[in-house]
Amino acid sequence: MHIKQLQQTWRWFGPGDPVSLQDIKQAGAQGIVTALHHIPHGEVWSPEEIQKRIDELKAGGFEWSVVESLTVHEDIKRRSGDYKGYIEKYKQSLKNLAGAGGRVVTYNFMPVNDWTRTDINYTVSDGSKALYFNWADMAVFDIHILQRKNAADDYPATIVEKAEKKFAAMSENDKQLLIDTVVFGIPGEEKRTPDGMRKELEKYSDIDRKALKENLAYFLQEVAPVASEYGIRLAIHPDDPPFDILGLSRIVCNREDLADIISFTDAPANGLCFCTGSLGANPANELPEMIAAFNKRIHFAHLRNVIRDKEGNFFEADHLDGDVDMYSVIKALLNVQQDVTHDIPFRPDHGHQMLDDLNKVTNPGYSAIGRLRGLAEIRGLELGIVRSWKK
Ligand code: DNO
């Protein structure tokens, strides 16, 4: 009996990434996850720019396995302004990507901010650095720095109180660090300022959960048939963290949300990026069961672990040691892989800054050695599962 393994990939931010393609080869990855980060959100990825990236990857001995992300313009998320024009541009980019090798295109539908953390230098017990999300720090940013209207109403009284005390004790430097962390975004892409963020948030003031889901449904009904036609599998990334933040509705957080999204269109391209770190931050999400339930709709996986506390704060733990049962997750994903003919790629998502990387400038979450450890552990675990099945 032949057991098909998952495709082992690695995220590369392009030629400016301090981690080179050769480093990635040595880490043992088989394919690359990348995007044209230099093209402004919403604009068409031209065949020339796509070809350039393919050539760069080829020179390093790689194929473009997954596009992450083909970002959805804010006008589309709000269904306002030139959203129709941006949807047409999205379709054009999909068309241009069709021959590119990468058959998976990842995107997210998080309004205003992509993934959000409050500390990117959280020291864990072994001295390595991890990414951390803390509600009181989030409230400091939201209530005291951003000064969003009625922000305090969105937090429990205990958090509001903690935030007040923390803010009072903060230096200007501490405040700036928190701002830089919250608005960090994606390496190589445009950074927001608190002012810019405030303005963007206001534009969402009358878009509630229902409206945002309708906008996602509309987008998917437009683009998923086109992606299907070009043999592309779309993969929506869950909201990270999987909770409402900054007064925004978050609609890709749990099993019900994922089921809704799958119901929006039958087009085969309509699928998921199963991020165990994002979904794992919510204790209600039973990850292996969800993988089994969504099965063939899982087009890509981010494998990462978290350790949560009672208040809902969490830090990113080592890949095998946290609240996510990675063994069961990989088993469930391998089961799905046996049911489909295409590859299901995964990447070791994030990693601690550790060893020599502690003295280097690295992209938060994306230093080499922490991810190398993650990939090595996951590969070993996967191989162990596969071998035990063969017996
Ligand atoms: C963070 C990433 C996300 C992800 C996008 C997908 O490290 O997992 O930024 O790439 O949300 O669109």
Side-chain angles (χ1 to χ4, degrees), residues 11 68-69 107-108 110 114-115 186 237 302 350 366:
R11 189 180 202 177
E68 179 178 357
S69 304
Y107 67 101
N108 73 70
M110 287 178 252
D114 198 301
W115 63 312
I186 305 295
H237 188 282
H302 287 180
H350 303 178
Y366 289 96

Side-chain angles (χ1 to χ4, degrees), residues 76-114:
I76 298 179
K77 295 179 203 162
R78 289 192 302 263
R79 224 195 310 179
S80 68
D82 191 22
Y83 69 100
K84 287 196 168 151
Y86 283 116
I87 287 182
E88 289 315 308
K89 286 182 178 176
Y90 205 93
K91 290 179 186 167
Q92 186 61 45
S93 295
L94 288 175
K95 187 174 170 188
N96 295 347
L97 279 164
R103 291 283 184 248
V104 178
V105 172
T106 315
Y107 67 101
N108 73 70
F109 219 74
M110 287 178 252
V112 184
N113 225 23
D114 198 301

Side-chain angles (χ1 to χ4, degrees), residues 61 77 133 143 170 211 220 246 268 272 283-284 290 326 340 376:
K77 295 179 203 162
F133 182 89
I143 302 171
M170 275 169 108
L220 269 175
L246 300 168
L272 312 172
M290 286 164 72
M326 203 53 84
V340 296

Side-chain angles (χ1 to χ4, degrees), residues 216-346:
L216 172 55
Y218 178 84
F219 167 72
L220 269 175
Q221 284 152 11
E222 285 286 319
V223 303
V226 176
S228 305
E229 187 188 329
Y230 291 113
I232 287 174
R233 289 181 291 285
L234 296 171
I236 189 166
H237 188 282
D239 298 339
D240 184 4
F243 307 106
D244 293 356
I245 54 165
L246 300 168
L248 295 164
S249 297
R250 303 276 228 154
I251 55 165
V252 195
C253 298
N254 52 41
R255 191 174 182 144
E256 296 72 53
D257 289 341
L258 299 184
D260 280 349
I261 292 165
I262 295 307
S263 77
F264 289 157
T265 161
D266 287 340
N270 182 19
L272 312 172
C273 168
F274 201 88
C275 176
T276 60
S278 305
L279 294 168
N282 179 350
N285 285 330
E286 293 176 330
L287 305 183
E289 288 79 355
M290 286 164 72
I291 294 171
F294 291 108
N295 200 267
K296 293 180 187 172
R297 292 295 182 165
I298 296 173
H299 291 165
F300 182 31
H302 287 180
L303 300 182
R304 172 161 76 72
N305 221 319
V306 289
I307 291 185
R308 310 175 293 251
D309 70 14
K310 278 196 214 102
E311 219 171 55
N313 312 311
F314 61 89
F315 71 90
E316 300 189 0
D318 289 319
H319 289 78
L320 302 190
D321 306 312
D323 293 326
V324 173
D325 176 1
M326 203 53 84
Y327 168 72
S328 305
V329 161
I330 294 176
K331 238 168 68 174
L333 284 171
L334 276 167
N335 270 322
V336 179
Q337 179 66 83
Q338 308 318 306
D339 289 344
V340 296
T341 50
H342 57 258
D343 286 329
I344 301 178
F346 79 84

